[in-house]
Amino acid sequence: MDAAALWQRYQNWLYFNEGLGFYLDISRIRFDDTFVAQMEPKFAKAFDDMAALEAGAIANPDEDRMVGHYWLRDPDLAPTPELAEDVTGTLKAIEAFASQVRTGSIYPPGQERFTDVLSIGIGGSALGPQFVAQALGPDFPPLNIHFIDNTDPEGIDRTLARIDNRLATTLVIVISKSGGTPETRNGMVEVQHHFASHGLDFSKQAVAITGIDSNLDRRAKSEQWLATFPMHDWVGGRTSELSAVGLLPAALQGIDIRSILGGAREMDAATRVANLRQNPAALLALAWYAAGNGKGDKDMVILPYKDSLLLFSRYLQQLVMESLGKEKDLDGNPVYQGIAVYGNKGSTDQHAYVQQLREGVANFFVTFIEVLKDREGPSVEVEAGVTAGDYLFGLLQGTRQALYDNARDSITLTIPEVNAHNVGALIALYERAVGLYASLVNVNAYHQPGVEAGKKAAASVIKTQLQIMQVLQAASEPMNLEALANRVGAPEDIETIYKMVRHLHSNQRSVALHGNPGDPTAVRISAL
Amino acid sequence: MDAAALWQRYQNWLYFNEGLGFYLDISRIRFDDTFVAQMEPKFAKAFDDMAALEAGAIANPDEDRMVGHYWLRDPDLAPTPELAEDVTGTLKAIEAFASQVRTGSIYPPGQERFTDVLSIGIGGSALGPQFVAQALGPDFPPLNIHFIDNTDPEGIDRTLARIDNRLATTLVIVISKSGGTPETRNGMVEVQHHFASHGLDFSKQAVAITGIDSNLDRRAKSEQWLATFPMHDWVGGRTSELSAVGLLPAALQGIDIRSILGGAREMDAATRVANLRQNPAALLALAWYAAGNGKGDKDMVILPYKDSLLLFSRYLQQLVMESLGKEKDLDGNPVYQGIAVYGNKGSTDQHAYVQQLREGVANFFVTFIEVLKDREGPSVEVEAGVTAGDYLFGLLQGTRQALYDNARDSITLTIPEVNAHNVGALIALYERAVGLYASLVNVNAYHQPGVEAGKKAAASVIKTQLQIMQVLQAASEPMNLEALANRVGAPEDIETIYKMVRHLHSNQRSVALHGNPGDPTAVRISAL
């Protein structure tokens, strides 16, 4: 396509939302008018599905649930007055609590005020709060936030070491929708132990965000934690950033949560339009479909040219992959859907893997995110007439052009600046694009059966471990792996048992491994 | 394959290095003996290529350079005594300098000692130091490290804001092999300006790591910076972590750099063995080839089950993709090679995208990284007989098993613990695996022509910007985009010029945009 035709294509497809100052350009995804015409009926259905979802239909049939994250930013949309009241009531409670903590009218025992927040949660209970903290956290927030987002003992130790002598003024938020996520439970138990070992009363410094009447909810109430906030069953983990899950940590850091909600609400309105060309989320979904042939044939590389948006790709990795990565479609047919997502930030990544993007395997499309405002205040010139921000701009444009010249497609989003309003809008844009794309490819975007399966597999490993420890303690002499596996009645798990023994032995956990550990047939195992 | 056969396959392929306590398992990559037999001659050639490289052959033909990163950890291997002396001399200089800074015998003007390090560099001059700082940095390092790894003005502002009132005690390291990387130059100019605006003498707090006689080297010497350290032309950016680039920042943080080098040296010895089954790097390369059909058909998902290894996937993203992602092979034929790499950490990612890995598009293989030691000291029980670390172990094993059951392949690496020795070994392992794989697919792993092209494209955008500012300043009235593009003699660049105007206008940069900015045909542009 010559330059003039490309310029015309750019203008034809350019989406601009004046209120948000938001631009979307999908002109560098190579699709033609025939493709668009073919997609129109699919989009008509997707818009209908979305309207039904927003009206409170059961949009997550597997779990028999409504999908209501859009109500969080516009309670008037909620299908009943009770749900609307719940949203507004929770928001007010969050604001009141955060304000009382920030001003010191809620304070830790014997201390003037809270100085730090420790958030314990994983997946949807961590990625959104981490992304927003990095994107919007002020340089000197009223409370410094820390995260435990794993069940890694060393990682927990490091986080607690960094909180150091401020433990007595640290507010702990435990976030778990089900109230039973093992990683989060483990983090909580470890932190409770740490509090106890420092003579501190955990419950006087703890808050829970969890499903109503979950184990965690009941525990928090019976132990009289400082507060509990609800995680409704109509909000999924990966779309929970604008529920208490994201809003409470943000408010504690002094981030304007009404502004995040306002930006999301404005983008929701723009992406509710049942017209492909006037709906930026639909245009995004169209571009994804075109790039990957509706089957995820190409990876989605996310390149925000802004340091503060570094974690957006990780946030989207969950939102997109957990929503779309499904074995079966809504009719039960195997489809193996999904779109792989990765990326960090530009132009930094140009000095990393953009070499491959330009020249190597053509298995991806890029999403560039441009931020118009370079910084607060004027910039020094790095050479005559040129600023660091001009370079950032030039590197984005140059890379986009060079990729296109090499037949590598891209999408470009442009926002005026990174602020609460625009971050809310970005989150809402992608939530809707994922929902529409799921309709196009006919999958349930709101369940995650594979995650449940992973939990079960882990529980089975834990159970085996308890069994082998029993067997070893009862044994009179060291035995080999085969004998041990047979003794616990799990000869098919011998490999896992071998590794389990290596792990227990390495941690002085009442198990001794004798012989060359690299030779499974030669090792002998005994209780320590 | 039934459980017994799988257990046999596991044992057949298990690699164990007793000295390093390192295990590698490629049994869950589905290849057969015929494939291995076919690969043997390719490996024979790869081992020969590697021996020649280590002996000082020109292994980077495009740039007519030797490839010497293996000499950094074993100077006796260097092809000449001068090179060996250079390596040992540089190492001693780094240790002496870092020690003098840490103890305060090198100190900033008017201050007792340095408290912080600010590292300015991008790509290979940032990813290694960032990975090592996260993996090995002590909880309370003698100097706190910060990074500027981009040309984002807001990102630079944030880093400087966090250094806050410790600027007068901050040691700045500027890292650029060529001495001319624009992003790094921009960061340096911004930081110099910041120092000057605080009445501080930058040169008294600055160190350069750069190619001998580069622009940066000459500048540092003429301005009498505190020190300069060499970045040799036989060390590539993405394999420079064990040169001054990585060692100086590590030493300043109190990390044992001799131990990193020792671990790398030990792994180098293990991966020098010219026998596929006894060489873990060769086994890795074999697994990559089998998984992706020697063409990068599958993405490499890196899942370390350890928080401190979070950045390893980003480090490998560069090492693997920039090395292997090549348009042409060594004979000049178009091949579009590479392997896409992404990942963060387990088990956290199980609550993000592992849903898709388990059930969705089967376009990847996983590399699990297991760390045997959970933490320093004993663990609290999170339930009877079970620790948080047991869960981490169980989640890894369960996920690996569940993926395999769904025909998703994986590799598992096991290290005893995250320490300097083992991190050095991991770096060395992947450097060698990439080099061997490059031989298998016949590409030059040591150049990056696409990165150069990106720099040129950006320079061209910057040049156009200077031209449009000239034209606008000379113009008597606002003009439309077409007129502006014609006036600078670049009608084919009209789209870039439109965006440039948006960007300049948003930053009050002497350019005014009139009319609806979302309608390119309607906007009029003038000098401000």
Side-chain angles (χ1 to χ4, degrees), chain B residues 230-254:
Chain B
M231 207 168 163
H232 298 103
D233 72 352
W234 42 267
V235 175
R238 57 188 169 276
T239 53
S240 66
E241 177 50 28
L242 303 192
S243 75
V245 171
L247 298 180
L248 180 62
L252 289 166
Q253 293 168 83

Side-chain angles (χ1 to χ4, degrees), chain A residues 7 10-11 14 16 23 28 122-123 134 137 139-140 149-155 157-158 161 181-183 185-186 190 299 306-307 314 317-318 321-322 325-327 336-340 342 344-348 351-353 355-356 358-361 363 370 372-375 382-385 387-395 397-398 400 414 448-451 453 457-458 461 465-466 494-495 498-500 502-503 506-507 509 516-518 520-521, chain B residues 7 10-11 14 16 23 28 122-123 134 137 139-140 149-155 157-158 161 181-183 185-186 190 299 306-307 314 317-318 321-322 325-327 336-340 342 344-348 350-353 355-356 358-361 363 370 372-375 382-385 387-395 397-398 400 414 448-451 453 457-458 461 465-466 494-495 498-500 502-503 506-507 509 516-518 520-521:
Chain A
W7 172 231
Y10 174 79
Q11 294 175 80
L14 183 63
F16 176 61
Y23 302 80
R28 259 50 166 200
I122 194 166
Q134 187 169 69
D139 291 331
F140 303 100
D149 66 354
N150 199 2
T151 180
D152 169 28
E154 214 163 59
D157 288 345
R158 180 178 290 197
T181 311
E183 291 93 329
R185 190 274 319 261
N186 296 351
E190 290 260 358
D299 296 348
K306 204 68 178 174
D307 289 357
R314 232 178 119 186
Q317 203 171 45
Q318 180 193 40
M321 294 177 76
E322 200 170 51
K326 301 291 154 71
E327 179 179 347
Y336 308 107
Q337 270 292 354
I339 305 177
Y342 66 91
N344 303 294
K345 65 177 182 179
S347 85
T348 305
H351 294 264
Y353 60 84
Q355 161 66 32
Q356 177 167 316
R358 282 181 56 97
E359 301 203 333
V361 200
N363 63 347
E370 180 192 20
L372 288 173
K373 182 174 170 180
D374 290 337
R375 63 160 35 118
V382 294
E383 50 195 66
T387 66
D390 294 339
Y391 264 96
L392 195 65
F393 169 84
L395 289 158
Q397 301 304 332
R400 172 175 172 276
T414 302
Q448 51 282 334
V451 175
V461 173
Q465 177 179 310
L466 292 170
I494 186 167
E495 187 186 314
Y498 163 58
K499 292 180 180 167
M500 199 175 277
R502 289 194 321 210
H503 175 248
S506 298
N507 291 284
R509 294 281 304 292
N516 178 352
T521 54
Chain B
W7 172 231
Y10 174 80
Q11 294 175 80
L14 182 64
F16 177 60
Y23 302 79
R28 259 49 164 199
I122 193 166
Q134 185 167 70
D139 291 332
F140 303 99
D149 66 353
N150 199 2
T151 181
D152 169 28
E154 216 163 59
D157 288 346
R158 180 177 289 195
T181 311
E183 291 92 331
R185 191 273 319 261
N186 296 352
E190 290 261 359
D299 296 348
K306 204 71 181 169
D307 291 355
R314 231 177 121 186
Q317 205 172 42
Q318 180 192 40
M321 294 178 77
E322 199 169 53
K326 300 292 155 72
E327 180 179 347
Y336 308 108
Q337 271 290 355
I339 304 176
Y342 67 92
N344 304 294
K345 65 177 181 181
S347 83
T348 305
Q350 287 184 223
H351 293 265
Y353 59 83
Q355 162 65 33
Q356 177 167 318
R358 281 181 56 98
E359 301 204 332
V361 201
N363 64 347
E370 179 192 19
L372 289 173
K373 181 174 170 180
D374 290 338
R375 62 159 37 115
V382 293
E383 49 195 68
T387 66
D390 293 340
Y391 265 96
L392 194 66
F393 169 83
L395 289 159
Q397 301 305 332
R400 172 176 173 275
T414 301
Q448 51 283 332
V451 175
V461 173
Q465 177 180 310
L466 292 171
I494 186 166
E495 187 186 315
Y498 163 58
K499 293 180 180 166
M500 197 174 278
R502 287 193 323 210
H503 175 249
S506 297
N507 291 284
R509 294 282 304 292
N516 177 351
T521 54

Side-chain angles (χ1 to χ4, degrees), chain B residues 103-136:
Chain B
T103 57
S105 65
I106 293 177
Y107 53 87
Q111 306 284 334
E112 198 176 329
R113 65 179 65 205
F114 285 106
T115 58
D116 293 66
V117 179
L118 171 58
S119 175
I120 306 174
I122 193 166
S125 299
L127 290 165
Q130 288 167 332
F131 161 53
V132 165
Q134 185 167 70
L136 302 175

